[in-house]
Amino acid sequence: MSEYAVHFTKPSGNTSAYDVMLTILSEGRINATGPLGAAKNLSALGDSQKSACFSEIPLDLLARLIDRRSLYGIGFRQDFLVDNGGARVWYLDKDGPAAESFKEVVRVAMEGGIETDDTI
């Protein structure tokens, strides 16, 4: 879709979205927050399921997301994100064939317990 991705900031407590952006820029770090994904409820995996969200959108179409997200964000080239541990999220239709197949892969991987170093 685009060679860029944007991390939109949002207010946090008494801190404005603008100040959150400034904090990210001064610290040079975007912190992963809440867990996301098929294994988000597996507490045995600890913080490994936490994520930071980015929107992949052509830069000339950013206005479409500003109303829904925030006026403030930090953009990155996709290759930079990948080189620094980022990965695309794969959305599957709930209860669709791909989601059911993935659930089965996860179920099989978990037989006998959760292996925290399993690549699945």
Side-chain angles (χ1 to χ4, degrees), residues 38-45 102-116 118 120:
K40 69 181 177 185
N41 296 319
L42 299 177
S43 59
L45 297 176
F102 186 72
K103 286 179 194 173
E104 180 62 12
V105 169
V106 171
R107 187 193 67 74
V108 169
M110 291 177 48
E111 285 180 355
I114 297 171
E115 296 292 330
T116 56
D118 189 331
I120 186 64

Side-chain angles (χ1 to χ4, degrees), residues 30-78:
I30 295 174
N31 294 316
T33 55
L36 181 71
K40 69 181 177 185
N41 296 319
L42 299 177
S43 59
L45 297 176
D47 290 342
S48 70
Q49 301 307 297
K50 288 187 176 182
S51 63
C53 296
F54 294 81
S55 296
E56 177 186 22
I57 188 165
L59 296 180
D60 61 322
L61 299 176
L62 277 176
R64 298 173 70 181
L65 286 180
I66 288 172
D67 290 338
R68 285 188 266 160
R69 306 273 202 243
S70 168
L71 280 174
Y72 307 102
I74 303 167
F76 298 89
R77 289 180 51 92
Q78 296 255 13

